[in-house]
Each structure stands twice: as C-alpha cells, then as structure tokens.
Amino acid sequence: MGDDAEYQMEQDQLERNERESLRQARVDEDSRRNRKWEQAAAAKAKESVPAKPTDT
C-alpha cells in the first residue's frame, strides 16, 4: 500500500505543477497582450499630438 500512496502523491504533485505552469503561462500571455495594447495606445496618442519642436 505504501508504494501506491507514494505514487499517488507524486502524481498529485506533478498535476499541481502542471496546473501552476499553465496558470503562469496564461498570466504571461495576458501581460504580453496588455503591453501590446498599451504600446499601441501610446503610439496612437503620440500621432495625435501635433509635432512641435521642444527646447527644454
């Protein structure tokens, strides 16, 4: 019985690790998507600002 219980614990751990890495991948993907939208928004905002020389 000991071996079965140990095997099951290992399987559970592997499953948890897999779920966690999938979750992390989703988080990373969301971050990338948000960054892309932010960059696009920033570029759009820059286009609409009239270009004028700044001497600071």
Side-chain angles (χ1 to χ4, degrees):
M1 151 86 191
D3 287 347
D4 288 347
E6 199 172 305
Y7 174 79
Q8 190 56 50
M9 277 176 24
E10 284 177 17
Q11 290 304 308
D12 291 349
Q13 184 63 48
L14 288 172
E15 212 172 283
R16 272 195 299 276
N17 291 349
E18 191 176 339
R19 270 200 304 272
E20 177 58 28
S21 60
L22 286 172
R23 190 191 66 77
Q24 190 57 52
R26 270 199 305 276
V27 169
D28 292 346
E29 180 57 35
D30 287 348
S31 299
R32 267 196 300 278
R33 196 174 298 126
N34 289 344
R35 212 167 17 252
K36 210 174 354 183
W37 278 107
E38 286 165 12
Q39 286 171 349
K44 201 168 200 41
K46 261 189 226 152
E47 289 170 9
S48 63
V49 173
K52 58 180 181 233
T54 56
D55 43 38
T56 48

